[in-house]
Amino acid sequence: MRKLVYYVGVTLDGRIAGPGGEFDFFPQGDERQAAAYSSALTALYPETVPTAYRAAAGVAADAPSRRFDTVVMGLGSYRPALDNGITSPYAHLRQYVVSSTLEPDVDPAVTVVPGDPLGLVRRLKQEEGRGLDVWLCGGGKLAGAVLPEIDEMVLKHYPVVAGAGIPAVDGAFDPTAFDVAERTAFPNGVTLTRLVRAGR
């Protein structure tokens, strides 16, 4: 069965964005550090680079996916692209947006799911004939809703405290253990940690 992988950047106090969805305050380091960090992440997870930026990031348009073939996101994660006139931010992946307010015909390449995100990810994970995993792009409320199905978390911990904002997982109290599978520290102060759900 395919895995649901929550790949996201977080602050030291567990925020994935500021109160208004801001994410431009995540420190990247100096120019050299930022370039090395970006290059390393692109090599590991090239599918997570938005389609419009793949060429600039050195990802060929026809580059095969390495880890994910599907992305699931909430409206808050989809909104920055939409606000910039981009209705299909990850055209190289199958795209699902969980939203009860978004118009269902926003883009032919995007499937809008008005409810039951848990049912959606369970169906996606059980699809046969697909060898790659499902990327949970965010946000916090969606992660809280589908927590029972999250198999892995890949967290980019940035050395900054937000103080307020959108939590990485916003749901009911449900202690869920994960084991650290690997951890990499980058010169810009970011730590990339891959965690697997305990017992799976």
Side-chain angles (χ1 to χ4, degrees), residues 177-195:
F178 285 80
D179 297 322
V180 174
E182 57 187 299
R183 182 172 284 145
T184 304
F186 293 92
N188 63 351
V190 180
T191 302
L192 181 70
T193 306
R194 186 173 69 86
L195 304 108

Side-chain angles (χ1 to χ4, degrees), residues 104-139:
D105 59 351
V106 66
D107 189 286
V110 174
T111 301
V112 177
V113 181
D116 191 20
L118 196 55
L120 168 67
V121 298
R122 284 175 174 160
R123 289 190 299 275
L124 292 174
K125 287 174 66 174
Q126 292 172 0
E127 287 179 328
E128 294 185 12
R130 291 189 172 270
L132 299 179
D133 294 324
V134 179
W135 170 32
L136 175 60
C137 178

Side-chain angles (χ1 to χ4, degrees), residues 70-82 86-90 93-117 120-121 123-124 134-139 142 146:
T70 304
V71 59
V72 176
M73 62 191 117
L75 182 57
S77 297
Y78 182 57
R79 176 65 63 192
L82 203 56
I86 300 171
T87 56
S88 180
Y90 299 100
L93 301 173
R94 286 194 308 160
Q95 303 167 90
Y96 293 86
V97 178
V98 178
S99 171
S100 60
T101 59
L102 190 63
E103 293 296 325
D105 59 351
V106 66
D107 189 286
V110 174
T111 301
V112 177
V113 181
D116 191 20
L120 168 67
V121 298
R123 289 190 299 275
L124 292 174
V134 179
W135 170 32
L136 175 60
C137 178
L142 180 57
V146 301

Side-chain angles (χ1 to χ4, degrees), residues 4-200:
L4 180 65
V5 181
Y6 190 19
Y7 173 76
V8 68
V10 296
T11 64
L12 295 175
D13 52 345
R15 309 293 180 173
I16 60 173
E22 308 91 343
F23 55 86
D24 56 351
F25 64 92
F26 285 77
Q28 303 294 317
D30 62 30
E31 187 175 336
R32 182 182 54 79
Q33 292 171 336
Y37 170 67
S38 177
S39 177
L41 291 188
T42 298
L44 287 170
Y45 302 102
E47 307 90 325
T48 64
V49 178
T51 304
Y53 303 108
R54 281 164 70 86
V59 181
D62 60 349
S65 294
R66 293 188 53 178
R67 181 72 197 267
F68 308 115
D69 63 14
T70 304
V71 59
V72 176
M73 62 191 117
L75 182 57
S77 297
Y78 182 57
R79 176 65 63 192
L82 203 56
D83 288 347
N84 284 292
I86 300 171
T87 56
S88 180
Y90 299 100
H92 53 284
L93 301 173
R94 286 194 308 160
Q95 303 167 90
Y96 293 86
V97 178
V98 178
S99 171
S100 60
T101 59
L102 190 63
E103 293 296 325
D105 59 351
V106 66
D107 189 286
V110 174
T111 301
V112 177
V113 181
D116 191 20
L118 196 55
L120 168 67
V121 298
R122 284 175 174 160
R123 289 190 299 275
L124 292 174
K125 287 174 66 174
Q126 292 172 0
E127 287 179 328
E128 294 185 12
R130 291 189 172 270
L132 299 179
D133 294 324
V134 179
W135 170 32
L136 175 60
C137 178
K141 287 191 186 307
L142 180 57
V146 301
L147 179 58
E149 291 297 326
I150 296 177
D151 301 289
E152 290 188 17
M153 300 179 83
V154 180
L155 303 178
K156 298 172 285 184
H157 285 100
Y158 288 85
V160 63
V161 172
I166 300 169
V169 179
D170 188 3
F173 181 71
D174 184 15
T176 305
F178 285 80
D179 297 322
V180 174
E182 57 187 299
R183 182 172 284 145
T184 304
F186 293 92
N188 63 351
V190 180
T191 302
L192 181 70
T193 306
R194 186 173 69 86
L195 304 108
V196 296
R197 193 182 190 102
R200 284 195 187 168

